[in-house]
Amino acid sequence: MEGYGIVLSVIVALLVGLAAGKAWERYKLVEGRWIDRRRLRQSPHFILGLNHLVAGQVDLAIEELERAAQLNPDALELRLVLGNLHREKGQVGRAILEHQALLQRPRLHKIEHANVLLCLGLDYRRGGFVDRAVAAFQDVLKLDPDNETALVNLEKLQEDQHQWQEAYVTRRRLAQIAGPPDQPKSQLILAFLENELGLQALKEGRLDDAIKRFEAAIELDSRVIPAYLHLGDARRRQGDLAAAVATWERAIAVDPERAYLSLERLEQAYETLGQPDRFAERCRALIGSAPREWRARAALARHYTHGGEPSRALELLFEALEHNPHAIAIHQAIWGTLSVLDLPKHLVARYIDITGQSVFYLDPHVCLRCRYRSTELIWQCPHCHEWNSFVEERITPATDTEAEIPAALVP
Ligand SMILES: [Zn+2]
């Protein structure tokens, strides 16, 4: 719904620009006739439509703008906007017809032509006509090579189809156009795309190529954690376990919040290297530096259970549960460990006591950009397509001590 709001505000801005008339010439030669664009502003329907749009009443806005368009049949922008409103309402077929009809107009300016094709491309993308959308955006770029909206949409379509190399080229173009202010964002996206290209190489058994890609990803942006994980995997496949361990440890140093992604790999590797104690040390260090960290506790608990120390494991799991009652993995681990211990009554009672005070909720991973929720950590949001936008939401048992109640609420 947020995307819908953004599109609406863009449309409103466009219409306000049209009304103010600053960016638009007052008179325009259309099909050999001079048209006075002020007529548009004088039409009550136009202003009424604008008001409805600002109030979020899309249907009423369409009705009034349709009347305004009938009074001004040459106003290309109005028909473009009407088409866009139909698309935003989900009437993609109608939007396509509206925009296609505009292409039939004789003597379209180059930039008008590009705008119509851009709207058509957005219609096709919304309707799921991928090939047609790609073709439309490419046509826009022939007329207007620096059109950022067309490039961004093209990039997302290429990513959707896992055409990582093509998406990479498109993002490089966007980075060039936007210049330095956009650089960190583009670097991050390029790094994720390098990581995808590395994964593709890994799948096809091109180990050296994969390693180059993952290293390039880290070089572009050191925060791209999956590149470290996969670089370590590739090193391990090469037989260099020490280098793999160093890479995974680096990932933990870069982003301790996501240390758990490296922990499972490290546990196995330390075991193979004959240094199992290093795993407990690493988990303890993580817990010490982030007292709320639950995954390190869960990983260490698993390690203790396998090592024949279930009581020690259970203490860690209870601690983890207090910090993150929503994690089903912890409940499962607790019941597994309680079973190993033959369900001692006092420990079961402690479990019931801890969970009784907890607030539960689902899908703890949330996209910072669009609030999309997911049970798993995802690197690219399936809803708004942003890279690296997920954080884990955490809730602990509610406390209502006086100190936390705002002064205004205290009677
Ligand atoms: Zn999102």
Side-chain angles (χ1 to χ4, degrees):
M1 276 321 274
E2 204 159 292
Y4 188 66
I6 291 167
V7 172
L8 272 190
S9 57
V10 168
I11 291 171
V12 169
L14 215 146
L15 285 173
V16 170
L18 207 60
K22 183 132 198 199
W24 308 78
E25 316 134 62
R26 178 175 158 195
Y27 293 100
K28 192 183 167 206
L29 191 63
V30 177
E31 294 168 39
R33 286 182 297 131
W34 286 102
I35 300 293
D36 182 353
R37 292 190 167 207
R38 274 197 317 183
R39 265 176 48 205
L40 203 57
R41 283 189 272 157
Q42 283 161 0
S43 149
H45 301 301
F46 178 74
I47 296 299
L48 280 171
L50 198 55
N51 287 342
H52 288 313
L53 210 47
V54 172
Q57 296 165 315
V58 180
D59 289 318
L60 293 172
I62 289 179
E63 218 170 275
E64 294 297 340
L65 292 175
E66 191 66 60
R67 282 187 197 147
Q70 276 160 18
L71 291 172
N72 304 269
D74 298 312
L76 180 91
E77 301 82 3
L78 256 186
R79 296 248 62 104
L80 267 184
V81 167
L82 276 164
N84 289 347
L85 286 173
H86 285 306
R87 179 183 66 240
E88 291 315 310
K89 271 189 66 191
Q91 299 170 329
V92 176
R94 199 149 165 205
I96 291 174
L97 286 178
E98 185 82 62
H99 290 141
Q100 274 176 340
L102 295 178
L103 284 180
Q104 307 304 318
R105 290 195 177 189
R107 285 185 286 279
L108 275 182
H109 279 280
K110 197 167 153 190
I111 215 69
E112 285 175 336
H113 192 178
N115 277 337
V116 176
L117 283 170
L118 183 68
C119 292
L120 205 48
L122 294 171
D123 300 339
Y124 289 142
R125 188 177 169 202
R126 171 66 72 86
F129 308 112
V130 175
D131 293 344
R132 285 212 232 170
V134 168
F137 293 131
Q138 277 165 345
D139 286 344
V140 173
L141 292 169
K142 279 178 207 152
L143 295 163
D144 180 12
D146 289 352
N147 192 308
E148 290 185 46
T149 313
L151 282 167
V152 167
N153 278 280
L154 196 57
E155 180 196 52
K156 293 303 172 196
L157 286 166
Q158 287 160 339
E159 288 172 356
D160 286 349
Q161 296 175 92
H162 294 190
Q163 296 170 339
W164 308 115
Q165 188 58 50
E166 287 84 346
Y168 194 92
V169 172
T170 308
R171 175 45 60 176
R172 285 275 292 272
R173 252 175 102 178
L174 270 166
Q176 263 170 6
I177 294 165
D182 179 63
Q183 213 177 4
K185 192 189 167 202
S186 280
Q187 295 274 98
L188 179 79
I189 295 173
L190 287 172
F192 271 104
L193 293 172
E194 282 282 12
N195 174 61
E196 293 294 347
L197 285 164
L199 273 178
Q200 218 164 42
L202 204 58
K203 230 183 262 169
E204 291 160 14
R206 293 179 282 115
L207 219 50
D208 289 336
D209 195 19
I211 285 175
K212 264 184 222 150
R213 293 291 189 179
F214 296 135
E215 282 174 344
I218 295 167
E219 183 78 19
L220 277 163
D221 192 318
S222 63
R223 295 166 298 167
V224 177
I225 296 303
Y228 294 89
L229 301 175
H230 302 137
L231 179 59
D233 293 344
R235 293 268 188 233
R236 182 178 51 194
R237 267 168 71 172
Q238 266 188 337
D240 192 348
L241 196 55
V245 165
T247 310
W248 293 324
E249 287 178 344
R250 230 177 111 201
I252 293 180
V254 168
D255 189 354
E257 285 258 306
R258 294 183 173 163
Y260 65 93
L261 296 168
S262 302
L263 283 180
E264 210 170 311
R265 291 168 160 96
L266 281 170
E267 187 178 12
Q268 266 187 15
Y270 291 143
E271 197 73 52
T272 311
L273 291 170
Q275 307 162 334
D277 292 345
R278 267 174 86 183
F279 185 71
E281 277 165 33
R282 185 145 290 281
C283 291
R284 287 280 173 210
L286 277 167
I287 296 164
S289 61
R292 288 166 55 85
E293 167 66 56
W294 67 273
R295 286 195 167 94
R297 285 189 174 89
L300 185 55
R302 200 178 50 229
H303 187 71
Y304 284 149
T305 306
H306 289 165
E309 296 181 87
S311 299
R312 216 171 162 191
L314 195 62
E315 279 311 310
L316 277 167
L317 290 170
F318 280 154
E319 270 178 44
L321 187 65
E322 276 169 31
H323 293 301
N324 286 82
H326 71 268
I328 290 173
I330 300 179
H331 294 271
Q332 285 175 324
I334 286 177
W335 283 114
T337 315
L338 282 170
S339 301
V340 172
L341 291 166
D342 231 3
L343 299 174
K345 260 192 178 163
H346 69 288
L347 291 177
V348 174
R350 243 181 95 192
Y351 169 79
I352 291 167
D353 189 43
I354 294 171
T355 50
Q357 296 172 29
S358 303
V359 179
F360 293 97
Y361 65 104
L362 288 170
D363 301 342
H365 296 278
V366 55
C367 171
L368 281 178
R369 187 157 179 250
C370 72
R371 315 301 295 169
Y372 181 90
R373 286 185 165 277
S374 155
T375 49
E376 305 273 323
L377 171 66
I378 325 174
W379 299 112
Q380 188 183 22
C381 177
H383 183 247
C384 73
H385 303 279
E386 186 76 347
W387 289 99
N388 211 24
S389 59
F390 278 84
V391 292
E392 192 181 5
E393 201 171 66
R394 291 174 181 186
I395 291 181
T396 40
T399 51
D400 51 0
T401 55
E402 238 169 77
E404 282 171 53
I405 301 171
L409 296 177
V410 178

